[in-house]
């Protein structure tokens, strides 16, 4: 706002508190003159504001015209009250300008127009005081003190308007957040909400409905120290027992966004480097978001057990086969127990060597040379192990129909062994 220095004449000055003292004759004469001419002064200010600031000129909107007039007239009345008494604690005018500041926010404008209007009114008020001083013979120190009252008061109006604007901004942001959380609940409902309900909620939440989404399951075991700073199109819910996010249109820039997402979560969760923070589900159609979240949670659970490798973010798309294998662990255990029963009587070290060799043999189309290269052993060693396996498994080892189940059982067994802290993996 405009700052006005104190005026001095012959080394004398009039203090602001002295000027607004109830017994000060100059202040009372100014107050009486303004009260007598309030309609005229208000009309002049309104005309100037509406002429200079098009946003405030709305002749077709009588409600808006009344609001502008009310603001100017109330500002003048409060100024008169300030001149007549030093007590400036009245709340009514502050509430009015807080409401005006809030209105500017709701209209989608900044406070620039309002501040410009205040400057215009201050200039007109200053001209009026100069004319008053010339007519009434007020001294220069008295005129300077009156100017300080004007500009101090306008600063208070600006502060009240800014406070109302900030409160409205916070309330609007909170309302948008609430609507987005509601939208996320609809998108993750099981069974899914109707397309019309989602579209209406998305419009209310200012969110464009994408073609595809990917859900992100966040580790709920870590305390959220500060809200993560995320892209505005990401839907967030950290209020759930199992926090989650929803990434719109995750491909083809998912990995780039994932890097930023991982950094934001690491900062918010205060987690050490290398710790698994979240799992990103496969991209799906928007109406199937709950499926992506289900798979993401499954991946996160497996990553915690170290069945899935990863740090920061675990991507389901990198581990689809393992996720499929572990969808029903009880049934998988039954299959593994049945197909790997021939290995049960072996020592752990021998069992691990033979299981690793058999898995590589199945994956590499029963090519002993390729198996030896993968395991970094001599081909004769591989052939020796295969003879041992043939004695243990018998005809099953030569039955192509059994090979698929054997590979599933071996992969599950291998994943479980990797996840065990007590059984670190060893080279075959």
């Amino acid at each position: 706002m405009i700052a006005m220095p104190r005026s001095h004449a012959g080394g004398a000055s009039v203090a602001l508190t002295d000027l607004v003292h109830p017994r000060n004759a100059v202040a009372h004469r100014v107050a009486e003159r303004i009260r007598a001419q309030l309609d005229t002064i208000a009309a002049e200010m309104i005309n100037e504001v509406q002429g200079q600031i098009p946003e405030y000129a709305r002749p077709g909107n009588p409600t808006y015209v009344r609001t502008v007039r009310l603001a100017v007239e109330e500002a003048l009345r409060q100024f008169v009250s300030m001149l007549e008494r030093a007590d400036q604690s009245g709340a009514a005018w502050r509430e009015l300008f807080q409401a005006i500041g809030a209105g500017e926010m709701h209209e989608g404008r900044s406070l620039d127009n309002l501040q410009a209007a205040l400057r215009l009114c201050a200039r007109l008020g200053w001209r009026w005081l100069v004319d008053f001083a010339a007519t009434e013979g007020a001294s220069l120190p008295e005129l300077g003190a009156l100017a300080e009252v004007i500009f101090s008061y306008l600063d208070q109006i600006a502060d009240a308007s800014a406070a109302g604007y900030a409160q409205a901004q916070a309330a609007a942001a909170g309302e948008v957040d609430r609507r987005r959380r509601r939208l996320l609940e609809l998108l993750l409902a099981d069974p899914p909400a109707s397309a019309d309900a989602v579209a209406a909620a998305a419009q209310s939440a200012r969110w464009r409905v994408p073609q595809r989404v990917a859900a992100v399951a966040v580790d709920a075991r870590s305390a959220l120290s500060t809200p993560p700073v995320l892209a505005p199109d990401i839907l967030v819910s950290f209020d759930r027992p199992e926090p989650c996010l929803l990434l719109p249109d995750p491909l083809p820039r998912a990995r780039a966004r994932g890097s930023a997402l991982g950094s934001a979560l690491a900062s918010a969760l205060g987690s050490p480097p290398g710790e698994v923070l979240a799992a990103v589900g496969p991209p799906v159609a928007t109406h199937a978001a709950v499926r992506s979240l289900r798979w993401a949670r499954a991946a996160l659970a497996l990553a915690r057990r170290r069945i899935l490798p990863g740090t920061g973010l675990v991507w389901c798309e990198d581990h689809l086969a393992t996720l499929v294998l572990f969808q029903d662990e009880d049934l998988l255990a039954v299959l593994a127990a049945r197909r790997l029963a021939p290995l049960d009587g072996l020592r752990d070290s021998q069992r691990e060597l033979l299981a690793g060799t058999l898995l590589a043999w199945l994956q590499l189309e029963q090519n002993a040379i390729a198996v030896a290269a993968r395991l970094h052993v001599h081909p004769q060693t591989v052939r020796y192990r295969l003879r041992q396996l043939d004695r243990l498994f018998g005809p099953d080892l030569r039955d192509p129909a059994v090979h698929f189940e054997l590979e599933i059982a071996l992969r599950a067994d291998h994943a479980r062994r990797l996840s065990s802290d007590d059984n670190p993996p060893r080279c075959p």
Side-chain angles (χ1 to χ4, degrees):
M1 294 300 297
I2 300 172
M4 188 69 185
R6 283 192 174 87
S7 301
H8 297 271
S13 65
V14 176
L16 186 60
T17 53
D18 293 337
L19 181 67
V20 298
H21 192 278
R23 292 189 295 275
N24 187 283
V26 174
H28 277 270
R29 289 205 308 275
V30 172
E32 289 171 359
R33 181 72 62 84
I34 292 176
R35 184 178 287 107
Q37 300 180 15
L38 191 142
D39 290 343
T40 301
I41 297 171
E44 184 179 355
M45 288 182 171
I46 291 169
N47 289 337
E48 185 74 11
V49 167
Q50 292 180 333
Q52 296 292 329
I53 306 174
E55 286 288 345
Y56 293 151
R58 299 186 184 182
N61 188 337
T63 301
Y64 200 82
V65 171
R66 284 196 300 271
T67 300
V68 172
R69 176 170 290 279
L70 174 64
V72 173
E73 291 178 349
E74 181 61 29
L76 288 171
R77 291 191 187 96
Q78 178 60 24
F79 181 66
V80 169
S81 297
M82 290 174 64
L83 292 175
E84 291 179 333
R85 62 182 185 274
D87 180 17
Q88 303 174 16
S89 61
W93 71 271
R94 295 181 191 277
E95 292 176 358
L96 171 64
F97 283 98
Q98 285 176 354
I100 289 174
E104 293 295 282
M105 200 289 300
H106 291 307
E107 291 276 346
R109 296 191 295 265
S110 69
L111 286 174
D112 292 346
N113 288 326
L114 180 58
Q115 291 172 348
L118 292 176
R119 288 193 292 270
L120 283 174
C121 291
R123 187 160 62 243
L124 290 173
W126 174 242
R127 290 176 188 167
W128 189 91
L129 282 178
V130 170
D131 291 342
F132 169 85
T135 302
E136 298 291 328
S139 67
L140 188 58
E142 289 171 329
L143 183 61
L146 284 168
E148 284 201 41
V149 176
I150 288 179
F151 296 116
S152 173
Y153 176 45
L154 288 174
D155 280 341
Q156 294 178 56
I157 290 178
D159 289 344
S161 303
Y165 192 95
Q167 290 170 3
Q169 267 188 326
E175 179 62 18
V176 170
D177 287 344
R178 186 190 68 77
R179 291 177 181 178
R180 289 197 166 196
R181 285 194 296 272
R182 171 58 181 158
L183 170 61
L184 185 59
E185 294 298 327
L186 288 177
L187 288 169
L188 298 178
D190 192 11
S194 69
D196 289 343
V198 169
Q203 183 177 14
S204 176
R206 304 175 191 172
W207 192 75
R208 183 185 62 82
V209 179
Q211 293 295 317
R212 296 171 71 77
V213 295
V216 181
V218 180
D219 190 349
R221 300 175 303 171
S222 303
L224 189 68
S225 55
T226 56
V229 179
L230 303 173
D233 60 343
I234 297 177
L235 297 182
V236 180
S237 178
F238 283 101
D239 299 331
R240 288 167 157 246
E242 296 179 288
C244 62
L245 314 171
L246 203 63
L247 304 177
D249 291 326
L251 297 176
R253 53 195 180 106
R255 298 300 172 117
R257 298 191 75 180
S259 177
L261 176 61
S263 298
L265 288 175
S267 176
L269 295 172
S271 300
E275 185 172 324
V276 174
L277 305 173
V280 183
V284 295
T286 301
H287 66 81
V290 68
R291 298 179 191 170
S292 182
L293 180 60
R294 183 171 67 249
W295 295 324
R297 285 176 174 162
L300 184 60
L302 293 176
R304 289 172 184 157
R305 294 164 54 190
R306 301 188 182 181
I307 289 175
L308 289 185
T311 58
L313 295 184
V314 174
W315 297 82
C316 285
E317 288 197 309
D318 295 341
H319 309 287
L320 292 178
T322 305
L323 283 169
V324 170
L325 286 180
F326 282 84
Q327 282 299 297
D328 189 332
E329 293 198 45
D330 291 337
L331 188 58
L332 183 61
V334 170
L335 173 64
R338 177 188 175 191
R339 287 302 176 195
L340 303 183
L343 301 176
D344 287 348
L346 303 177
R347 298 189 310 274
D348 285 346
S349 58
Q350 187 181 13
R351 184 186 195 281
E352 188 174 345
L353 289 175
L354 292 181
T357 302
L358 179 55
L359 178 59
W361 184 74
L362 292 169
Q363 291 175 333
L364 297 173
E365 300 179 352
Q366 301 140 54
N367 186 319
I369 303 298
V371 173
R374 171 179 288 187
L375 301 182
H376 307 289
V377 297
H378 195 278
Q380 282 297 100
T381 301
V382 173
R383 293 188 181 97
Y384 172 73
R385 293 178 186 174
L386 288 173
R387 286 194 295 271
Q388 289 180 289
L389 290 166
D390 186 66
R391 286 195 298 269
L392 291 168
F393 285 87
D396 283 348
L397 206 59
R398 295 180 291 278
D399 185 351
V402 177
H403 287 179
F404 180 66
E405 289 187 3
L406 264 176
E407 184 172 351
I408 290 175
L410 288 164
R411 290 188 60 165
D413 183 68
H414 180 66
R416 286 200 181 96
R417 286 177 177 274
L418 287 178
S419 70
S420 173
D421 291 334
D422 298 328
N423 296 291
R426 289 174 288 182
C427 293

